[in-house]
């Protein structure tokens, strides 16, 4: 009995969706290897190895802060964008409960934020979900109308992960600043691609993920302005 042997041709795909994730650059791999090998100490320890590790962390905080025109004291490292979003928003809300219970976000935030706001509704918070227009942008007038005396925080992403629309965070930040409302923005899709200035745009907190910009997976950061009250 003979058997027909079918040779399966290997099919290779070209990956183009670098908006979803990216491979690590060689420079990032080299830096990771160097730090893991030579700066492995506990950065909170007082011995020399710990001090050297802490120096690396402080250098990273300073460099990242410069990229967003922020303060190194406001940089917090996380396991990625999801943790950065939840850490920032939940901590800021918990630290400002005395100001009210109203929150603002959009219908098209990242799932980490969308589900967080749904959970916050169950905890007694009132949430306004801004709609988007045909191009994916929010209506600035709708944002103004949504503001209340008891509004604590608004979370509006910078760049949308699905359709790529860029929100006008300069106008949004100005409006929220004048209303004394905390402004968080998810910058996972835009950091490293579009300039971000937390001072010029009155951004109180933002989130970033390393794997979107040719860094390692499982790392990210959130920025929380040192002058804004929050509870860890």
């Amino acid at each position: 009995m003979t058997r027909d042997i079918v040779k399966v041709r290997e099919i290779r795909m070209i990956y183009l969706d670098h908006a979803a994730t990216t491979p690590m650059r060689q420079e990032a791999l080299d830096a990771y290897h160097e730090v893991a090998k030579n700066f492995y100490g506990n950065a909170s320890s007082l011995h020399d190895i710990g001090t050297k590790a802490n120096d690396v962390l402080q250098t990273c905080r300073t460099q990242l802060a410069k990229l967003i025109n922020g303060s190194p004291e406001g940089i917090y490292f996380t396991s990625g964008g999801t943790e950065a979003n939840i850490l920032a928003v939940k901590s800021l809300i918990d630290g400002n409960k005395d100001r009210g219970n109203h929150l603002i976000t959009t219908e098209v935030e990242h799932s980490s934020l969308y589900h967080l706001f749904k959970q916050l509704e169950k905890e007694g918070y009132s949430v306004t979900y801004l709609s988007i227009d045909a191009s994916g942008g929010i209506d600035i007038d709708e944002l103004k109308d949504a503001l209340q005396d008891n509004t604590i925080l608004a979370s509006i992403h910078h760049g949308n992960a699905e359709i790529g629309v860029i929100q006008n965070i300069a106008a949004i930040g100005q409006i929220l600043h004048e209303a004394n409302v905390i402004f968080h923005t998810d910058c996972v899709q835009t950091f490293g691609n579009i300039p971000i200035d937390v001072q010029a745009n009155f951004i109180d907190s933002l989130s970033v993920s390393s794997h979107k910009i040719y860094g390692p997976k499982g790392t990210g950061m959130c920025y929380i302005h040192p002058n804004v009250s929050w509870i860890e």
Side-chain angles (χ1 to χ4, degrees):
M1 180 178 180
T2 61
R3 177 180 297 176
D4 293 332
I5 299 176
V6 179
K7 185 177 181 181
V8 179
R9 185 173 61 182
E10 181 181 3
I11 299 175
R12 296 188 178 184
M13 295 180 64
I14 298 174
Y15 183 79
L16 298 175
D17 191 11
H18 282 196
T21 192
T22 61
M24 284 184 69
R25 287 179 62 95
Q26 188 59 51
E27 295 92 332
L29 284 166
D30 292 342
Y32 183 88
H33 179 264
E34 176 70 15
V35 171
K37 181 178 179 180
N38 298 313
F39 300 92
Y40 53 85
N42 183 345
S44 299
S45 297
L46 299 178
H47 47 59
D48 289 346
I49 296 176
T51 299
K52 290 179 180 179
N54 185 64
D55 288 343
V56 171
L57 284 176
Q58 296 309 318
T59 297
C60 292
R61 287 190 173 97
T62 299
Q63 292 176 342
L64 286 167
K66 286 182 179 179
L67 292 175
I68 59 173
N69 195 25
S71 169
E73 291 75 22
I75 301 291
Y76 298 91
F77 296 108
T78 68
S79 64
T82 290
E83 184 183 14
N85 274 328
I86 294 173
L87 172 65
V89 171
K90 191 69 168 64
S91 298
L92 288 165
I93 291 172
D94 288 346
N96 293 273
K97 288 182 177 179
D98 59 324
R99 295 173 54 180
N101 72 333
H102 179 241
L103 310 169
I104 298 173
T105 188
T106 76
E107 297 177 339
V108 290
E109 294 298 307
H110 184 266
S111 60
S112 61
L113 284 169
Y114 182 79
H115 292 307
L116 173 60
F117 280 101
K118 288 298 182 181
Q119 178 60 40
L120 289 168
E121 284 187 285
K122 295 178 182 179
E123 296 175 11
Y125 288 92
S126 173
V127 181
T128 297
Y129 296 89
L130 302 176
S131 59
I132 57 171
D133 59 26
S135 65
I138 70 163
D139 186 325
I140 295 297
D141 289 331
E142 184 181 357
L143 171 62
K144 293 178 180 178
D145 292 340
L147 293 169
Q148 303 175 13
D149 292 338
N150 63 339
T151 304
I152 303 174
L153 173 145
S155 178
I156 300 171
H157 62 279
H158 188 194
N160 186 274
E162 301 296 330
I163 60 176
V165 65
I166 305 300
Q167 303 291 345
N168 187 353
I169 59 171
I172 293 168
Q174 181 69 44
I175 291 167
L176 296 176
H177 176 70
E178 292 175 354
N180 194 30
V181 172
I182 298 168
F183 179 26
H184 171 77
T185 182
D186 180 345
C187 295
V188 167
Q189 292 295 145
T190 55
F191 179 76
N193 297 301
I194 299 174
I196 299 168
D197 188 324
V198 297
Q199 295 192 46
N201 296 318
F202 300 104
I203 297 170
D204 297 299
S205 71
L206 60 78
S207 52
V208 169
S209 186
S210 170
H211 78 97
K212 298 286 188 177
I213 51 172
Y214 302 91
K217 291 175 173 59
T219 61
M221 78 158 193
C222 70
Y223 176 78
I224 301 178
H225 196 292
N227 292 340
V228 179
S229 298
W230 63 283
I231 296 176
E232 186 174 355

